[in-house]
Amino acid sequence: MTWITNRWYVAAWDSEVDRTPIARTICGEPVMLYRKLDRSVVAMRDACPHRLLPLSMGFKEGDSIRCRYHGLLIEPDGCASEMPIKSEAVPKAVCATLYPVVEKHRFVWVWIGDAAKADPATIPDFWPCSAPGWTFDGGYNHISCDYRLVIDNLMDLSHETWVHQGSIGQHEITEAPIETVVDGEEVFVRRWMPGIEPPPFWRDALRSAGPVDRWQVCHFIPPSSVLIDVGVSPADAGDTIEEHNSGVRGFVVDAMTPETETTTHYFWGMARNFDIDDAGFTARFKAQQGQVFDEDVEVLEAQQRSIMANPDMKLRGYSIDQGSVRARTIIRKLMEAEEA
């Protein structure tokens, strides 16, 4: 196992979960998700307690689900209310596992570990996704790689120069010094690029020409999220890496949920504080962002295949990898603490 168990993980976008059950494997466990009539979400082990057929294949009856194989009826609290032979009493032990589930910041979060330890206050703070004056949307990719490789990718944005040459890449990214800071369980990688020409996207967002100060602040939050504070402001505005609100600003939101040790659910999006009422821009940018992440997917899946084909070799860390190395160290220590 390569993940921390007792943490919240994104299971789905809020828009993905409706009355019809969906199946998704989270940290190696099959989970069924659906909404009750009151629109609250149920997260249940996707296995009938009778013969283990996935419950997501079953038939909805009100807020309950009936197994498609022999008709065992399971209530939304996980307990059976009707046996295959309807005249038989239902043993109290006939239950499906329920997982704690919370909707926040447009995502459905589940807790796979010890349910008694599930505290909604510990859900990662994706504040730009819910704050007034900001708008947020995004998408999903299934990636055939270890979730930690995606974290590595996002904590080292120097790859943008080469992987994303035709979109967001800029040579100034590799020329700017980086600062890596560890704060408790969290890691920050900060890059400040003063007085540069903005790439086309940021020039158009700022709606003015001339040199800008550009920033990138990658923020790792356990168990597996990365928020990237990005933007530009006019070079004469006086902004700093600590305070930068004079121009246009966004947060690239990345939540990586392990499916297995070599596959990942990747939930991505961008929250921004400009053109927030322009639904057309939001849709266009979501499509563009999806194309950028498709470039990452191609590289990450090839990297995973190469790792598996070269078991005698190890990943090496250089100066640009400080953020990802420290994020992996935190993950490892948190896993060891769970096992102790």
Side-chain angles (χ1 to χ4, degrees), residues 134-194:
W134 292 73
T135 189
F136 172 57
D137 200 7
Y140 165 85
N141 285 88
H142 180 270
I143 310 182
S144 295
C145 77
D146 184 330
Y147 79 101
R148 294 171 300 179
L149 294 180
V150 190
I151 295 173
D152 294 346
N153 171 277
L154 295 165
M155 293 298 287
D156 166 28
L157 295 186
S158 64
H159 80 271
E160 289 184 359
T161 303
W162 311 110
V163 177
H164 309 299
Q165 293 185 48
S167 52
I168 59 175
Q170 191 172 20
H171 282 280
E172 285 85 351
I173 293 173
T174 58
E175 295 167 0
I178 58 175
E179 177 189 22
T180 303
V181 177
V182 177
D183 183 4
E185 295 181 350
E186 302 180 4
V187 182
F188 297 83
V189 177
R190 305 192 292 191
R191 180 183 275 108
W192 180 253
M193 293 162 276

Side-chain angles (χ1 to χ4, degrees), residues 15-338:
S15 58
E16 291 185 276
V17 183
D18 206 342
R19 295 283 295 155
T20 301
I22 65 170
R24 193 152 277 169
T25 299
I26 307 295
C27 297
E29 296 199 14
V31 178
M32 172 184 65
L33 301 160
Y34 68 89
R35 289 189 188 274
K36 298 194 296 184
L37 289 169
D38 65 4
R39 298 185 181 176
S40 61
V41 177
V42 173
M44 188 181 298
R45 184 74 176 251
D46 194 17
C48 177
H50 177 212
R51 304 299 292 177
L52 304 187
L53 187 75
L55 284 169
S56 57
M57 295 177 63
F59 309 103
K60 286 295 300 302
E61 296 187 8
D63 285 339
S64 305
I65 189 154
R66 189 179 293 277
C67 180
R68 185 175 176 177
Y69 200 0
H70 296 94
L72 185 70
L73 185 64
I74 305 293
E75 299 297 315
D77 63 359
C79 296
S81 61
E82 188 175 277
M83 297 294 284
I85 303 297
K86 295 183 179 181
S87 60
E88 292 183 353
V90 181
K92 293 183 178 179
V94 181
C95 292
T97 300
L98 279 187
Y99 301 99
V101 58
V102 174
E103 281 193 80
K104 193 172 185 179
H105 306 312
R106 292 282 320 278
F107 293 121
V108 176
W109 303 78
V110 296
W111 182 282
I112 295 296
D114 182 352
K117 297 180 179 179
D119 180 1
T122 61
I123 290 174
D125 185 14
F126 289 5
W127 66 266
C129 303
S130 305
W134 292 73
T135 189
F136 172 57
D137 200 7
Y140 165 85
N141 285 88
H142 180 270
I143 310 182
S144 295
C145 77
D146 184 330
Y147 79 101
R148 294 171 300 179
L149 294 180
V150 190
I151 295 173
D152 294 346
N153 171 277
L154 295 165
M155 293 298 287
D156 166 28
L157 295 186
S158 64
H159 80 271
E160 289 184 359
T161 303
W162 311 110
V163 177
H164 309 299
Q165 293 185 48
S167 52
I168 59 175
Q170 191 172 20
H171 282 280
E172 285 85 351
I173 293 173
T174 58
E175 295 167 0
I178 58 175
E179 177 189 22
T180 303
V181 177
V182 177
D183 183 4
E185 295 181 350
E186 302 180 4
V187 182
F188 297 83
V189 177
R190 305 192 292 191
R191 180 183 275 108
W192 180 253
M193 293 162 276
I196 66 172
E197 288 299 315
F201 171 81
W202 288 115
R203 180 197 62 215
D204 296 345
L206 193 60
R207 299 188 182 185
S208 65
V212 299
D213 293 335
R214 183 183 180 187
W215 63 87
Q216 294 175 332
V217 182
C218 306
H219 177 193
F220 167 73
I221 308 170
S224 56
S225 297
V226 177
L227 297 184
I228 307 177
D229 179 358
V230 293
V232 299
S233 58
D236 58 2
D239 280 355
T240 65
I241 190 65
E242 291 79 18
E243 295 289 337
H244 38 260
N245 290 299
S246 300
V248 287
R249 187 180 184 189
F251 280 83
V252 181
V253 177
D254 307 281
M256 285 65 67
T257 297
E259 180 184 50
T260 67
E261 292 191 353
T262 56
T263 57
T264 300
H265 302 293
Y266 180 24
F267 302 90
W268 52 263
M270 184 171 181
R272 68 180 193 275
N273 68 353
F274 56 94
D275 298 323
I276 64 172
D277 297 319
D278 189 339
F281 176 81
T282 298
R284 293 191 301 273
F285 181 71
K286 176 180 174 180
Q288 293 168 4
Q289 192 177 18
Q291 292 172 0
V292 170
F293 288 137
D294 285 344
E295 295 170 347
D296 285 313
V297 171
E298 180 184 7
V299 168
L300 290 167
E301 291 187 338
Q303 183 187 19
Q304 180 67 59
R305 291 192 297 270
S306 182
I307 289 170
M308 296 170 70
N310 295 280
D312 58 320
M313 299 180 68
K314 294 183 178 181
L315 300 176
R316 293 188 176 184
Y318 300 144
S319 60
I320 59 172
D321 303 304
Q322 291 183 47
S324 59
V325 168
R326 295 181 184 186
R328 280 183 177 248
T329 299
I330 289 170
I331 292 170
R332 177 177 53 79
K333 288 182 177 180
L334 290 173
M335 288 175 56
E336 291 172 350
E338 279 191 341

